[in-house]
């Protein structure tokens, strides 16, 4: 779906509607018990109609737009969705803008690399800055809720929205998603999405995800809980069904797990348009806000109340939850101190560039083809080198004021090096590659191959791109491929021909500059794969993106491949550098800890090469003698460390016994087993590169 088709003009005018501040200004700034008391005093001042009106958006969409998830911009509001508020009492509107790679999609905002790229930085502190920049821009545009981060784990690499999320691992997703949430919420409300088990596009509106309780709790939910612990103001429900009901009408998911077990005190908003199919079950399950307009709430909710099918308490709860977050985030000074001049200003665009450079993963570099040095001429090949390939054109679309294609970035950095270009005509490409000192082929995917509403049809590159790569590699030994895409790509038949390979993802508005910095060695690559790259699709289980019922077993990604004893093309966590690192001296603070205890795992990392770099070290844990099925090992910690040549640093990871628990569905409880655990530390999940040590959990 290309939402830009719906865009006639960027309608910023009139976007910021002032609200009277009477009651509001008296209340904002309160917290804790005082705030709860005030919410209780404000509730009776609202009529039932007002309360119900607060529970849905007011965007008038046509049926078609609702069905496609599109909305109609240029109608004077300029938001992806909004509520009316209650002017009489000064209760502000909730005003939403997408989304995961920057503020979407009409405004000239900063376009960051996609979520998957940012996942590859393994850098939560940097991700918090990205969140803060997006939060600032949201607020500067007068909106108060950013519909991001997307934290659905990548179940299968062909998921159309793979690029929006951070990867496949729950621990990693939780760290990255909560960092983004904290960043956004320095300014305004964040909305982690899509809760939960949203892993297919083709059938996203009606597929029923069948997931047993243990898999749900261990695989699909932990990262949402991390965002709740980071005090996310809202959570967006998913379109799909979960074990029967729609996810947004699933009482177990919303009322029992999110609100009761995790103590979430924000509000649950439906995904846009087709996330509900029943008024009563949605309201009783705890869905607080229907977006973008009242299809199942509004009059239907009132009728359900009149008929006694929904208690008034459910309405009061929903309204209280929204008021709580509005009080927290939308004070009388909301519009003050935020300038649209800073949107896509130098601070944010240089952050976009830093993130892009840190996200790129060097997958192969035989004969040190990269960085390109000592060359006088360079051939650049491939259509994608010249495109502004920012990623999907669905709800995550961002329209930056400018974007740097890879060819432009290379030309800017090339200096005296003569750059020639061909989009792909084979005879000319061969000739250019032959006559140049080195060749760079840019290949991969774009919004037509993968995106919201449509899954990828295959995991390999197109035949013409493969032919181009093979032509370039046979014409010139110094051949580097730069790959663009939001997920794993298989490389059958061409990878052995190519000495150097850089995964650049969809690198955002500054992407061309960042790619050039890496190719010419100004930046040392440091990204690591946040997903496993399998050799072929056959190594994975079937992607059931046409089925209306999909049963999810407990293994996916690297957990699946390792447990099945399959060697991937590139392992989870893998990424090379222009320098070399050496891991040594793994030590554990304890050999035995209690179930409520923790230990410190330390390791020394040395830069034994000639250039400075940043390394992402990873800690995994395996289980010995568990009474339940467990994967071979799971990521439990990671850290990015900067090292000068010759420098050694010690990294320490804290590991709590509680993080080793499995979910015992019979007892409805997390259980830490009294067994032996193996802890691994190293540069990726690849077994032979990991140092290991063992410890036991015993007693309390
Ligand atoms: C998407 C959401 C998005 C919403 C509003 C939906 O189609 O699934 O991720 O936030 O539209 O644009």
């Amino acid at each position: 779906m290309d939402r830009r088709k719906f865009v006639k003009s960027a309608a910023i005018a009139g976007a910021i509607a002032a609200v009277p501040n009477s009651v509001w200004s008296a209340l904002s700034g309160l917290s804790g018990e005082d705030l709860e008391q005030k919410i209780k005093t404000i509730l009776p001042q609202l009529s039932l109609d007002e309360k119900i009106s607060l529970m849905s958006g007011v965007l008038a969409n046509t049926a078609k737009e609702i069905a496609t998830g599109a909305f109609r911009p240029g109608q004077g509001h300029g938001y992806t969705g909004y509520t009316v508020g209650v002017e009489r009492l000064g209760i502000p509107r909730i005003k939403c803008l997408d989304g995961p790679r920057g503020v979407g999609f009409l405004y000239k905002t900063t376009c960051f690399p996609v979520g998957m790229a940012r996942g590859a930085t393994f850098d939560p502190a940097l991700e918090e800055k990205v969140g803060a920049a997006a939060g600032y821009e949201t607020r500067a545009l007068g909106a108060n809720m950013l519909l991001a981060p997307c934290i659905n784990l990548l179940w299968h690499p062909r998921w159309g929205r793979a690029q929006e999320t951070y990867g496949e691992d729950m621990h990693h997703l939780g760290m990255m998603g909560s960092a983004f949430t904290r960043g956004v919420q320095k300014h305004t409300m964040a909305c982690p999405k899509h809760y939960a088990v949203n892993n297919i596009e083709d059938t996203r509106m009606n597929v029923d995800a069948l997931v047993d309780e243990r898999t749900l709790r261990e695989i699909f939910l932990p990262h949402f809980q991390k965002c709740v612990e980071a005090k996310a103001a809202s959570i967006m429900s998913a379109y799909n069904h979960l074990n029967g009901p729609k996810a947004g009408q699933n009482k177990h998911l919303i009322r029992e797990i999110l609100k009761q077990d995790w103590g979430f005190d924000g509000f649950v908003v439906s995904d846009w348009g087709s996330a509900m199919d029943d008024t009563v079950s949605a309201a009783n399950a705890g869905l607080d806000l229907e977006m973008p307009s009242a299809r199942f709430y509004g009059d239907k909710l009132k009728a359900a109340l009149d008929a006694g099918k929904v208690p008034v308490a459910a309405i009061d709860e929903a309204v209280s939850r929204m008021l709580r977050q509005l009080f927290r985030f939308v004070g009388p000074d909301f519009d003050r101190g935020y300038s649209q001049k800073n949107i896509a200003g130098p601070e944010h665009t240089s952050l976009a560039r830093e993130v892009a450079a840190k996200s790129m993963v060097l997958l192969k570099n035989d004969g040190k083809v990269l960085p390109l040095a000592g060359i006088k001429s360079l051939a650049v090949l491939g259509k994608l080198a010249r495109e502004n390939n920012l990623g999907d054109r669905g709800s995550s679309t961002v329209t930056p004021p400018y974007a740097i294609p890879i060819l432009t970035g290379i030309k800017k950095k090339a200096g005296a090096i003569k750059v020639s270009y061909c989009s792909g005509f084979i005879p000319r490409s061969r000739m250019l590659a032959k006559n140049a000192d080195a060749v760079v082929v840019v290949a991969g995917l774009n919004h037509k191959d993968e995106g919201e509403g449509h899954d990828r049809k295959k995991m390999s590159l197109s035949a013409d791109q493969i032919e181009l790569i093979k032509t370039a590699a046979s014409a010139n030994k110094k051949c580097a491929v730069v790959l663009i895409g939001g997920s794993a790509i298989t490389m059958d038949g061409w990878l052995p021909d190519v000495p150097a390979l850089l995964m650049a993802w969809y690198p955002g508005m500054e992407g061309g500059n960042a790619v050039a910095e890496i190719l010419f060695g100004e930046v040392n690559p440091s990204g690591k794969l946040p997903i496993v790259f399998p050799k072929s699709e056959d190594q994975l289980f079937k992607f059931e993106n046409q089925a209306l019922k999909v049963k999810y077993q407990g293994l996916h990604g690297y957990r699946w491949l390792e447990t099945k004893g399959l060697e991937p093309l590139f392992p989870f966590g893998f990424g090379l550098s222009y320098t070399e690192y050496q891991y040594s001296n793994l030590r554990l603070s304890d050999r035995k800890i209690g179930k409520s205890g923790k230990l410190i795992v330390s390791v020394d990392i040395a830069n034994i090469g000639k250039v400075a770099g940043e390394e992402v070290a990873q800690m995994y844990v395996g289980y010995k003698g568990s009474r339940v099925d467990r994967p071979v090992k799971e990521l439990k910690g990671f850290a990015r460390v900067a090292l000068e040549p010759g420098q050694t640093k010690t990294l320490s990871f804290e590991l709590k016994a509680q993080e080793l628990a499995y979910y015992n569905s019979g007892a409805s409880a997390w259980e830490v087993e009294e067994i032996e655990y193996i802890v691994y530390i190293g540069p990726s999940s690849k077994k032979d590169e990991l140092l290991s040590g063992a410890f036991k959990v015993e007693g309390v």
Side-chain angles (χ1 to χ4, degrees):
M1 171 202 352
D2 185 343
R3 289 199 187 194
R4 294 201 292 200
K5 281 190 202 138
F6 295 91
V7 182
K8 296 251 163 45
S9 65
I12 305 186
I16 304 164
V19 282
N21 269 323
S22 48
V23 177
W24 207 250
S25 46
L27 297 182
S28 56
L30 294 175
S31 59
E33 254 318 292
D34 292 345
L35 172 58
E36 298 307 317
Q37 280 312 319
K38 290 294 177 186
I39 292 172
K40 282 192 191 125
T41 61
I42 218 174
L43 267 183
Q45 297 182 49
L46 287 161
S47 69
L48 186 60
D49 283 345
E50 282 171 333
K51 288 179 189 169
I52 287 177
S53 78
L54 288 173
M55 288 178 65
S56 49
V58 285
L59 199 57
N61 278 325
T62 65
K64 183 168 169 248
E65 284 167 343
I66 288 166
T68 58
F71 76 100
R72 207 193 281 168
Q75 303 291 301
H77 51 77
Y79 300 113
T80 310
Y82 69 100
T83 61
V84 279
V86 178
E87 252 187 83
R88 180 174 73 77
L89 298 171
I91 295 175
R93 299 171 172 198
I94 295 174
K95 295 179 282 188
C96 310
L97 287 171
D98 276 300
R101 69 170 186 260
V103 182
F105 67 83
L106 292 171
Y107 308 108
K108 297 205 176 320
T109 49
T110 308
C111 181
F112 290 98
V114 293
M116 188 62 81
R118 288 169 6 238
T121 67
F122 280 77
D123 192 340
L126 192 63
E127 185 58 11
E128 191 168 325
K129 289 188 191 167
V130 173
Y136 181 99
E137 296 191 2
T138 305
R139 186 158 166 184
L141 287 164
N144 51 29
M145 181 152 139
L146 182 68
L147 304 175
C150 172
I151 52 166
N152 296 112
L153 62 74
L154 187 71
W155 183 256
H156 193 286
R158 278 178 45 212
W159 181 39
R161 298 182 80 170
Q163 63 187 268
E164 290 185 50
T165 191
Y166 296 103
E168 68 179 39
D169 179 87
M170 303 80 79
H171 174 78
H172 171 259
L173 273 164
M175 296 298 286
M176 300 303 287
S178 58
F180 184 89
T181 300
R182 276 195 304 277
V184 171
Q185 295 197 163
K186 287 182 176 149
H187 304 287
T188 195
M189 297 186 277
C191 181
K193 64 189 187 183
H194 312 80
Y195 188 70
V197 203
N198 186 154
N199 305 99
I200 293 171
E201 283 310 286
D202 285 355
T203 52
R204 67 174 174 163
M205 301 301 182
N206 33 29
V207 64
D208 189 6
L210 306 173
V211 190
D212 66 77
E213 190 65 13
R214 184 177 164 212
T215 306
L216 182 67
R217 301 268 189 165
E218 288 184 20
I219 308 291
F220 289 101
L221 300 187
H223 31 292
F224 281 98
Q225 187 174 7
K226 273 263 166 54
C227 291
V228 168
E229 285 163 9
K231 298 234 141 299
S234 66
I235 296 279
M236 186 189 292
S237 75
Y239 284 131
N240 51 277
H241 295 244
L242 176 67
N243 295 329
K246 283 251 177 200
Q249 296 169 181
N250 192 307
K251 199 169 173 180
H252 182 51
L253 196 59
I254 297 180
R255 192 164 292 295
E256 293 170 7
I257 298 180
L258 176 65
K259 293 185 174 177
Q260 279 163 24
D261 289 4
W262 301 346
F264 174 62
D265 69 355
F267 56 95
V268 179
V269 51
S270 76
D271 198 347
W272 264 232
S274 300
M276 294 161 71
D277 61 13
D278 183 60
T279 307
V280 173
S281 49
N284 289 334
L287 185 92
D288 303 303
L289 174 60
E290 179 183 21
M291 276 296 192
S293 57
R295 293 174 73 208
F296 291 94
Y297 281 179
D299 292 346
K300 287 187 187 146
L301 183 55
K302 189 145 188 236
L305 268 172
D306 291 345
K309 290 181 178 159
V310 171
V312 179
I315 310 296
D316 284 347
E317 181 203 316
V319 173
S320 303
R321 284 173 176 274
M322 286 184 269
L323 289 179
R324 185 177 299 125
Q325 300 305 327
L326 282 167
F327 280 133
R328 195 175 146 208
F329 286 98
V330 193
D333 64 346
F334 187 79
D335 297 334
R336 261 177 257 146
Y338 283 76
S339 166
Q340 292 192 8
K341 284 201 189 100
N342 294 328
I343 295 178
E347 205 183 308
H348 293 179
T349 55
S350 66
L351 178 63
R353 183 167 173 163
E354 180 188 353
V355 174
K358 287 190 174 162
S359 76
M360 291 179 196
V361 187
L362 184 64
L363 291 174
K364 191 172 175 187
N365 198 16
D366 291 355
K368 300 210 164 121
V369 163
L370 294 178
L372 297 169
I375 57 166
K376 293 205 176 71
S377 57
L378 175 68
V380 179
L381 308 177
K383 284 200 285 283
L384 294 183
R386 224 172 27 184
E387 277 179 22
N388 279 334
N389 195 2
L390 300 173
D392 186 28
R393 303 230 173 131
S395 63
S396 66
T397 302
V398 172
T399 314
Y402 68 88
I404 312 285
I406 292 173
L407 182 61
T408 310
I410 288 177
K411 281 186 172 162
K412 273 170 48 186
K413 281 260 170 283
I417 301 169
K418 196 171 151 280
V419 178
S420 56
Y421 172 74
C422 178
S423 65
F425 181 56
I426 295 295
R428 185 170 148 77
S429 299
R430 185 182 295 116
M431 195 258 293
L432 293 185
K434 213 175 200 139
N435 292 340
D437 293 337
V439 57
V440 170
V441 186
V442 183
L445 313 175
N446 69 12
H447 65 277
K448 291 186 189 137
D449 301 302
E450 55 179 346
E452 187 174 347
H454 60 105
D455 293 307
R456 263 168 87 188
K457 301 239 175 334
K458 56 176 186 170
M459 286 184 63
S460 57
L461 293 179
S462 63
D464 57 329
Q465 290 190 336
I466 295 177
E467 193 189 358
L468 182 63
I469 292 172
K470 288 178 85 81
T471 303
S474 67
N476 193 320
K477 294 264 152 306
K478 271 197 161 200
C479 174
V481 172
V482 175
L483 274 185
I484 307 296
S487 181
I489 292 173
T490 55
M491 302 176 193
D492 246 10
W494 61 266
L495 185 61
D497 299 357
V498 166
L501 177 64
L502 181 73
M503 184 70 204
W505 315 105
Y506 296 106
M509 64 188 291
E510 282 283 338
N513 287 331
V515 168
E517 283 173 340
I518 290 193
L519 293 180
F520 292 115
E522 265 176 45
V523 171
N524 188 353
S526 59
K528 300 271 178 129
L529 292 180
I531 49 176
V532 67
F533 274 41
K535 281 190 180 136
S536 68
E537 200 176 331
D538 298 345
Q539 284 193 323
L540 303 174
F541 45 81
K542 194 168 177 280
F543 184 41
E544 295 180 77
N545 61 329
Q546 301 305 322
L548 291 181
K549 278 190 192 298
V550 176
K551 197 165 178 338
Y552 287 83
Q553 34 67 37
L555 293 168
H556 73 290
Y558 72 89
R559 288 172 172 76
W560 164 270
L561 274 101
E562 289 188 357
T563 307
K564 301 281 170 193
L566 297 165
E567 180 88 16
L569 185 60
F570 297 110
F572 176 88
F574 178 78
L576 300 168
S577 153
Y578 294 155
T579 188
E580 260 180 75
Y581 304 103
Q582 197 173 59
Y583 287 67
S584 65
N585 203 13
L586 175 86
R587 51 223 187 260
L588 278 55
S589 63
D590 299 270
R591 292 280 165 191
K592 205 164 86 183
I593 57 171
K595 287 182 183 174
S596 52
K598 61 179 180 196
L599 78 161
I600 305 293
V601 187
S602 312
V603 72
D604 297 339
I605 306 177
N607 180 348
I608 55 167
K610 292 196 173 54
V611 288
E614 293 192 6
E615 164 70 340
V616 174
Q618 298 149 48
M619 176 176 72
Y620 297 85
V621 174
Y623 312 85
K624 247 187 157 174
S626 173
R627 79 182 83 90
V628 294
D629 288 337
R630 302 267 201 163
V632 173
K633 63 180 185 299
E634 304 184 272
L635 185 74
K636 293 292 174 188
F638 57 87
R640 180 177 263 271
V641 58
L643 290 162
E644 292 299 321
Q647 193 180 16
T648 301
K649 281 186 187 166
T650 300
L651 280 186
S652 295
F653 297 88
E654 188 182 88
L655 184 58
K656 292 193 180 113
Q658 289 298 327
E659 291 166 39
L660 308 169
Y662 78 96
Y663 190 78
N664 182 339
S665 316
S668 300
W670 290 91
E671 200 171 305
V672 182
E673 288 185 284
E674 293 187 297
I675 53 169
E676 190 174 31
Y677 296 86
I678 316 293
V679 53
Y680 304 91
I681 291 196
S684 80
S685 61
K686 199 171 175 193
K687 187 130 196 249
D688 52 14
E689 290 179 353
L690 293 163
L691 302 174
S692 66
F695 69 95
K696 272 192 177 144
V697 172
E698 246 176 61
V700 277

